[in-house]
């Protein structure tokens, strides 16, 4: 191997390492924003953020009112994370520990719920929070 080839290979490996580190930091940021939204939305609904986080998103307990409310909070947090940060659904899925299909379903569900003026206003306020416009929740 020539010295110039070795230098190019070494530079490429450094670049790959930097990209991986950036990807990990970005994933951490997305997870943090998702968790922030879960906490804020839970508190706005008078819920414990810990209860929302501990409600298993995979349980699908449609008859359990507490689980449904927690699911709604998680869906809204996913929606806000995706729409305010322009996050790909796959990254939101990792942050929320669910499938990409579940993210798509959550996005559709929240978008449909925006027909309710109160929900639309609340989501607009949280979007404003991320954009530095304040929030009055």
């Amino acid at each position: 191997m020539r010295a110039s080839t070795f230098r190019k290979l070494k530079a490429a490996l450094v670049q790959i390492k930097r990209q991986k580190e950036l990807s990990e930091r970005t994933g951490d940021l997305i997870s943090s924003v998702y968790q922030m939204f879960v906490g804020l939305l839970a508190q706005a609904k008078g819920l414990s953020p810990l209860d929302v986080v501990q409600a298993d998103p995979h349980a699908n307990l449609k008859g359990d009112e507490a689980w449904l409310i927690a699911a709604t909070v998680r869906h809204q947090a996913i929606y806000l994370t995706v729409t305010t940060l322009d996050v790909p659904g796959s990254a939101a899925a990792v942050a929320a520990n669910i499938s990409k299909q579940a993210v798509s379903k959550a996005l559709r569900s929240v978008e449909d719920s925006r027909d309710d003026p109160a929900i639309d206003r609340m989501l607009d306020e949280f979007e404003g929070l991320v954009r530095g416009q304040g929030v009055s929740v």
Side-chain angles (χ1 to χ4, degrees), residues 91-113:
V94 171
N97 193 29
I98 58 175
S99 68
K100 292 184 281 188
Q101 293 80 7
V103 168
S104 294
K105 184 177 178 182
L107 295 175
R108 282 191 307 272
S109 170
V110 174
E111 194 59 48
D112 290 345
S113 74

Side-chain angles (χ1 to χ4, degrees), residues 37-56:
F37 279 130
V38 166
L40 290 172
L41 289 161
Q43 289 179 340
K45 293 181 185 289
L47 302 172
S48 161
L50 186 59
D51 289 343
V52 173
V53 170
Q54 289 179 340
D56 182 9

Side-chain angles (χ1 to χ4, degrees), residues 3-62:
S4 63
T5 304
F6 180 73
R7 282 192 302 276
K8 289 177 184 177
L9 180 58
K10 188 175 177 181
L13 290 173
V14 167
Q15 182 65 23
I16 289 169
K17 182 180 178 188
R18 284 184 188 151
Q19 288 174 343
K20 182 179 179 197
E21 290 170 352
L22 177 61
S23 177
E24 288 171 357
R25 287 193 308 263
T26 301
D28 291 345
L29 176 62
I30 293 168
S31 291
S32 295
V33 170
Y34 167 73
Q35 291 169 12
M36 175 199 69
F37 279 130
V38 166
L40 290 172
L41 289 161
Q43 289 179 340
K45 293 181 185 289
L47 302 172
S48 161
L50 186 59
D51 289 343
V52 173
V53 170
Q54 289 179 340
D56 182 9
H58 305 99
N60 202 16
L61 303 173
K62 295 192 189 285

Side-chain angles (χ1 to χ4, degrees), residues 121-135:
R121 187 172 36 261
M122 179 199 62
L123 293 171
D124 283 344
E125 288 180 358
F126 279 106
E127 288 170 347
L129 174 68
V130 171
R131 293 183 173 90
Q133 300 165 348
V135 67

